Amino acid sequence: MKRMDKFYNETYLKLETAIQELEIETDCPIKRIEAVIHHIIQSLADLKDFVLKNDFKNMEEEIHFFKYQKPVIVSKLIYYNAIYKIETRRPYGNKRTKKYFTKELKKLKRFFENNLDFYKYYRSNNSFVDEKFFVRGMHDIRLWLDTFYFEADHRFSTSHDYKVAKIIANDLIQVYLEDRLNNINVKRGSDNSLKWTASKTALTELIYALYSHGVFNNGNTDIKLIAKAFEDAFNIELGDFYHTFMELKARKINRTKFLDSLCEALIKKMDEKDEK
C-alpha cells in the first residue's frame, strides 16, 4: 500500500472510531456535534501536514487524493456543521419547524441546479477534466469556481475538491432533513396524538406554573425548552408565549384563572368518587 493511502486510511479509521464513541457516550446532540467537528478539524490538519511534508509521487496519486479521499473527510465537516446550524436555529412548533426544514431542502436543490454540469461529471465517474479539477495550481476561472477556492490554502486545495465534498455532504443533509420531516408528519398523522383543545393562554399559564415550581430537571430548565416540549407534544404553536404571560400578569382579577379551574375540576371529581 502507498504511504499516502496508508496514512489516509489510518486517519479515516481513527476519525470514524472517535465519532462512533461520541455517538454512544454523549447524550446531548449539540455537544456531540461540537466534539465531532473538533475531531474532523484535527484529522484534516493531520492530513494537510502529511501532504505538505511528503507530497504526492505522481499526478495520478494527487488526483485520487483530491477527488476521492480528502472530500470524504471534508464532507463530514460540512455535514456536521450544517446539522449544528440547523438544530441551533430550528424554530419552536411543528408547523414552523416543517417550514424551516423544507426551506433548508430547497437550498440543497438550488446548489444541485447551480452545479448540474459538475454533478453529471462527478456522478458519471468521468475523468477527462480531472487534471484541471483535482490537481493543485491548475484552476481555471472559466470553470465556475467557488469563492471558497480563492480563500483556501492552495497547497492543500484544488479547484473542485471542496465541491465534491459538498455533493457528498448534501446527500447526507438531505437524508437528515427528510427523516426529520417524516417524523413530524408521522407524529401529526397519528390517530393517538393528543390535541390541546383549551386556549393557548391556558396552556401558557400551565407552562409557567410548572416552570415556576421547578418540576423539570430540578428547576434547571429554560422556559423555552418547556414550551417547545408542550408545542411538540400537543401539535400547537404558542407564538410569543412571554407576551401572553405578561398579559396574564397584568390581569386585575383572577390571574390564575385556568389553574383555579383545574383545582375546582379535580376537587369535584374527587367528591364524585367519594359519593359513590
Side-chain angles (χ1 to χ4, degrees):
M1 186 184 288
K2 297 173 185 175
R3 280 187 70 195
M4 184 69 242
D5 288 344
K6 185 174 183 293
F7 185 79
Y8 171 81
N9 290 339
E10 288 172 355
T11 304
Y12 182 76
L13 182 61
K14 184 180 173 183
L15 176 61
E16 280 290 281
T17 303
I19 292 173
Q20 287 170 17
E21 286 175 357
L22 285 166
E23 292 284 345
I24 297 167
E25 294 171 5
T26 313
D27 292 330
C28 176
I30 300 301
K31 284 185 178 179
R32 180 170 66 239
I33 292 170
E34 288 172 351
V36 167
I37 288 172
H38 171 77
H39 280 288
I40 298 168
I41 290 170
Q42 185 56 55
S43 296
L44 285 169
D46 292 342
L47 273 178
K48 181 178 179 179
D49 187 56
F50 185 86
V51 167
L52 296 185
K53 284 180 179 177
N54 296 278
D55 212 347
F56 302 100
K57 296 200 182 310
N58 50 49
M59 187 180 288
E60 286 71 27
E61 188 176 72
E62 182 172 359
I63 289 171
H64 182 74
F65 177 78
F66 286 110
K67 187 176 183 179
Y68 298 108
Q69 294 179 324
K70 182 192 170 190
V72 171
I73 294 181
V74 175
S75 72
K76 290 181 182 294
L77 183 60
I78 297 169
Y79 169 75
Y80 281 104
N81 190 42
I83 300 309
Y84 185 84
K85 288 178 181 176
I86 287 167
E87 289 301 326
T88 52
R89 295 174 182 174
R90 181 164 59 93
Y92 297 112
N94 281 338
K95 284 184 182 176
R96 277 175 290 173
T97 300
K98 188 174 182 180
K99 187 177 178 183
Y100 173 69
F101 286 154
T102 303
K103 189 177 178 182
E104 291 297 315
L105 277 171
K106 285 179 181 175
K107 287 182 187 177
L108 300 182
K109 188 180 178 185
R110 276 200 301 273
F111 179 84
F112 170 77
E113 290 169 349
N114 291 336
N115 294 278
L116 189 57
D117 287 341
F118 184 71
Y119 259 91
K120 288 177 181 176
Y121 177 85
Y122 176 72
R123 295 286 194 208
S124 303
N125 206 26
N126 282 316
S127 58
F128 58 89
V129 201
D130 277 2
E131 289 182 19
K132 285 186 178 290
F133 286 163
F134 304 110
V135 175
R136 292 165 298 174
M138 297 293 285
H139 70 278
D140 187 338
I141 191 69
R142 293 168 295 180
L143 295 173
W144 293 80
L145 303 186
D146 292 329
T147 306
F148 171 83
Y149 174 70
F150 299 104
E151 299 169 357
D153 186 342
H154 292 184
R155 296 173 303 164
F156 191 60
S157 299
T158 66
S159 64
H160 283 66
D161 67 89
Y162 185 79
K163 205 180 284 286
V164 172
K166 278 282 285 183
I167 289 174
I168 298 168
N170 283 0
D171 286 346
L172 296 170
I173 297 165
Q174 182 179 339
V175 170
Y176 179 87
L177 289 169
E178 287 175 348
D179 185 54
R180 302 287 272 138
L181 278 169
N182 187 51
N183 287 342
I184 292 172
N185 292 333
V186 167
K187 200 169 186 178
R188 281 190 156 194
S190 174
D191 293 330
N192 299 320
S193 60
L194 292 172
K195 291 182 175 63
W196 182 266
T197 51
S199 70
K200 292 182 180 181
T201 301
L203 183 55
T204 302
E205 189 179 323
L206 175 62
I207 289 168
Y208 267 93
L210 295 169
Y211 170 68
S212 302
H213 202 52
V215 299
F216 300 109
N217 299 341
N218 298 313
N220 298 314
T221 304
D222 191 287
I223 185 69
K224 289 180 181 178
L225 290 176
I226 300 172
K228 180 185 176 300
F230 275 86
E231 284 182 322
D232 289 346
F234 301 126
N235 191 26
I236 189 171
E237 288 184 24
L238 290 171
D240 189 354
F241 57 87
Y242 178 73
H243 180 72
T244 304
F245 174 68
M246 295 308 290
E247 289 179 347
L248 289 170
K249 193 177 175 182
R251 279 181 185 167
K252 299 295 182 186
I253 303 170
N254 200 6
R255 293 196 292 180
T256 56
K257 182 180 176 182
F258 179 64
L259 294 176
D260 292 345
S261 69
L262 286 180
C263 287
E264 288 172 13
L266 180 58
I267 290 167
K268 185 179 178 182
K269 179 62 68 177
M270 288 174 171
D271 290 343
E272 286 174 4
K273 294 271 184 184
D274 288 341
E275 286 170 9
K276 290 179 183 178

